[in-house]
Amino acid sequence: MFSIDPATASAFFAASLLLAITPGPDNLFVLAQSIALGRKAGYAVTAGLCSGLLFHTSMVALGVAGILVNSPIAMRSLEIFGAVYLMYIAWSMLHAPATNTEPTTTDTKSAEYQARETISPLLLYLRGVIMNVSNPKVSLFFLAFLPGFIDADASGVFAQTISLGLLFMASTAIVFGAVATTAGWLQQSFESRPDVQIWIYRSSAIVLSAIALHLLCF
């Protein structure tokens, strides 16, 4: 891929997979959304998170991330925005009603299920994008992680950075997709249990609130 030799690319991809597996705000966010809203919701959120990684990769490749590091006000503003948005999602999950996937009649679905369907894949995708882009710690991580795999003496440092970012995005998509699939399967098994659904929604709200606090305090 571009100017990266296969050995470096393989080592970076393996390291990226291990990092993606390590529990963090993003994969916990996928878990919380998938187990509460289902597998497809998790896939949409995963796609949004991966799109956000393109933003951070571009920031590093263009040198903008370095400027952000030296601007505490800009970093703090992004962190606060991301935390507030997560708290909003947590609040909506905290007040979400239990749903019933079976229609009340042959032609009419329950009002709760209709309300649940209003959470479109696009909205879930945007949730993932906002979650990732509003976390400046991802750019800081890229600044620390990517240079170790870039050959500064070779030409095409920009291309190398973009290539590594795409590899990281691919590894993230694989791991987060697996999380969404597993959590979605669990969500389906609890679909007919309103009491369990309520517990899942409340637990998801707690997880999202914890992620918000993580953004603000660490």
Side-chain angles (χ1 to χ4, degrees), residues 25-156:
D26 284 355
N27 48 21
L28 289 177
F29 185 63
V30 174
L31 176 64
Q33 293 289 275
S34 302
I35 203 168
L37 302 174
R39 171 175 50 86
K40 292 182 179 179
Y43 291 157
V45 169
T46 295
L49 290 168
C50 290
S51 297
L53 291 175
L54 287 176
F55 168 79
H56 290 290
T57 300
S58 300
M59 293 269 286
V60 172
L62 295 172
V64 179
I67 298 175
L68 180 64
V69 171
N70 296 317
S71 177
I73 294 177
M75 288 190 62
R76 196 58 177 169
S77 297
L78 277 175
E79 290 171 346
I80 292 174
F81 173 79
V84 170
Y85 185 70
L86 282 173
M87 291 300 294
Y88 164 75
I89 299 176
W91 181 87
S92 66
M93 296 301 300
L94 190 64
H95 294 81
T99 60
N100 183 357
T101 57
E102 296 182 359
T104 53
T105 68
T106 56
D107 299 317
T108 305
K109 294 179 181 179
S110 66
E112 292 88 351
Y113 184 55
Q114 288 176 346
R116 178 173 165 178
E117 286 188 319
T118 61
I119 305 179
S120 68
L122 177 59
L123 177 58
L124 292 164
Y125 170 81
L126 291 176
R127 281 185 180 182
V129 172
I130 295 173
M131 167 67 187
N132 192 270
V133 170
S134 63
N135 185 2
K137 294 182 177 68
V138 178
S139 285
L140 292 176
F141 166 76
F142 269 41
L143 279 173
F145 184 57
L146 294 186
F149 295 88
I150 293 176
D151 185 359
D153 296 328
S155 59

Side-chain angles (χ1 to χ4, degrees), residues 171-191:
S171 67
T172 300
I174 291 172
V175 174
F176 289 7
V179 171
T181 299
T182 303
W185 176 80
L186 290 173
Q187 187 270 342
Q188 284 184 332
S189 66
F190 297 135
E191 195 70 45

